[in-house]
Amino acid sequence: MSSTTTAWPDRVSRETIVEVASSLISIPSVSGNEKDVMDFVECWCEQRGISYIVTAKDPARPNVIAWVGDPENGPVIAMNGHLDTVPVSDASSWKAGPFEPVVSDDGKKLFGRGSSDMKSSVGVMLTMLELFRDADLDGALMAHVVSDEETSAVYGTLHVLEQIEAGLVPKPDYVFIGEGSQLKVRNAERGILGFDITFIGRASHTAVARMTGINALAKAAKGILALEGDIDKFHPSIGHPVISVNMIKAGVAHNVVPGEAKISVDRRLIPGETKESVTAEIVAMLDAVAADDPDFRYEIEVDPEGGFIPA
């Protein structure tokens, strides 16, 4: 970046950032439904004369690669951010609609689905592209605005990496990601590994539940309590690993003891942990429960959706 740009940070407009972020928040984009918000980004770049390409493994889940400057004329600094969000699970708890962005009374927070993860950060990235559009850059400032971060990244950043390897997208010299980090520079990221665990009971009518039934939900409750909790490990760049039981499915009728109960577990890994080591830990925790309960039986499926990402 040339010396003529040193005063440009003073031109950063908070109002513009909030405006762009609010526009992104107002467009629902739960993972798998990113097309509308990516169309907005494409149109936004087009209106401002910012260079961009659209690349997609699935046309319904595109990624926008936008830049200012010349990638052939010096180093490329890339900003990476995703626009897919997790679903809204507690709509009744919102004071305003999840897709109705609202700035707090003190002006310090922007509320809306995806505001922190991570549409506000993408709003900053896009605003920076516009800010430096006419700067005399030695190289280029680039934004990778991607889909599919909340699930597998196969249609998002992993696809972009494939395009870079194929020479279809300029390879950046430096990359930073705008995910929340408590304003600390972090050079690592947690991995992700999912588990489906089915607890096996014995179905029966409620009338004879205590005679012939083995309630799989009760066994699942024991398993959940064994798994839920803090993990006594730590990595200086990203902190502790995390485990959370996030879904449960059981029962066929209100008067039938459930014969099976399935939970879905989300485990986040830190560097040094592997798929095998984490699986062994979970099996050990469940086996400890089984040692005290002869009716405690389970089956475990590791990485059921094929979304494993190492730390």
Side-chain angles (χ1 to χ4, degrees):
M1 193 175 291
S2 70
S3 60
T4 60
T5 66
T6 54
W8 286 51
D10 296 334
R11 305 185 189 185
V12 174
S13 167
R14 180 180 184 277
E15 291 72 20
T16 300
I17 292 171
V18 172
E19 178 184 351
V20 177
S22 296
S23 295
L24 297 171
I25 292 166
S26 70
I27 304 172
S29 55
V30 173
S31 297
N33 295 280
E34 301 98 338
K35 183 69 165 59
D36 289 347
V37 74
M38 290 299 178
D39 285 347
F40 169 85
V41 173
E42 184 178 349
C43 182
W44 189 93
C45 292
E46 185 77 33
Q47 291 173 348
R48 288 158 179 78
I50 293 173
S51 301
Y52 71 92
I53 59 173
V54 178
T55 180
K57 194 180 192 76
D58 177 350
R61 311 188 71 181
N63 307 280
V64 179
I65 312 298
W67 68 90
V68 294
D70 183 359
E72 303 295 327
N73 192 40
V76 176
I77 299 175
M79 306 171 286
N80 178 287
H82 69 91
L83 289 180
D84 62 318
T85 72
V86 297
V88 176
S89 62
D90 56 349
S92 63
S93 299
W94 291 72
K95 294 181 179 179
F99 306 107
E100 300 171 12
V102 175
V103 176
S104 62
D105 292 339
D106 61 7
K108 294 182 178 180
K109 294 181 180 180
L110 177 61
F111 293 99
R113 172 53 83 218
S115 58
S116 64
D117 189 14
M118 56 179 294
K119 291 184 173 183
S120 293
S121 291
V122 174
V124 172
M125 296 174 190
L126 294 177
T127 303
M128 293 305 100
L129 291 181
E130 183 176 20
L131 178 67
F132 289 107
R133 177 186 55 198
D134 300 319
D136 181 19
L137 301 180
D138 298 326
L141 178 64
M142 181 176 290
H144 297 170
V145 184
V146 300
S147 299
D148 189 29
E149 188 272 348
E150 297 291 352
T151 50
S152 69
V154 168
Y155 298 97
T157 295
L158 292 179
H159 168 71
V160 173
L161 290 174
E162 292 172 355
Q163 298 298 99
I164 291 172
E165 289 298 319
L168 301 175
V169 171
K171 183 176 182 178
D173 296 276
Y174 308 95
V175 178
F176 61 89
I177 300 170
E179 289 276 14
S181 64
Q182 298 177 329
L183 300 181
K184 297 178 181 178
V185 176
R186 302 186 186 276
N187 61 0
E189 179 59 280
R190 291 189 183 106
I192 182 171
L193 178 59
F195 297 89
D196 281 349
I197 304 172
T198 301
F199 297 90
I200 303 167
R202 184 186 302 126
S204 76
H205 194 285
T206 300
V208 289
R210 297 292 175 258
M211 292 183 287
T212 62
I214 298 176
N215 194 318
L217 264 175
K219 303 307 177 186
K222 286 187 174 184
I224 292 169
L225 291 174
L227 297 174
E228 279 282 344
D230 297 332
I231 300 174
D232 189 20
K233 297 181 183 179
F234 183 80
H235 187 279
S237 294
I238 52 177
H240 297 276
V242 178
I243 187 169
S244 183
V245 179
N246 292 339
M247 296 178 67
I248 186 167
K249 182 179 180 181
V252 295
H254 79 279
N255 58 349
V256 177
V257 174
E260 288 188 349
K262 183 169 78 171
I263 63 172
S264 294
V265 181
D266 188 352
R267 176 65 156 80
R268 302 302 170 96
L269 291 68
I270 62 173
E273 294 188 304
T274 65
K275 179 190 291 188
E276 293 75 19
S277 68
V278 169
T279 300
E281 288 178 5
I282 288 179
V283 168
M285 286 187 282
L286 296 176
D287 284 351
V289 178
D292 294 326
D293 182 351
D295 291 328
F296 186 88
R297 296 188 297 141
Y298 70 92
E299 296 175 351
I300 185 168
E301 184 179 1
V302 181
D303 194 23
E305 297 182 1
F308 170 66
I309 299 175

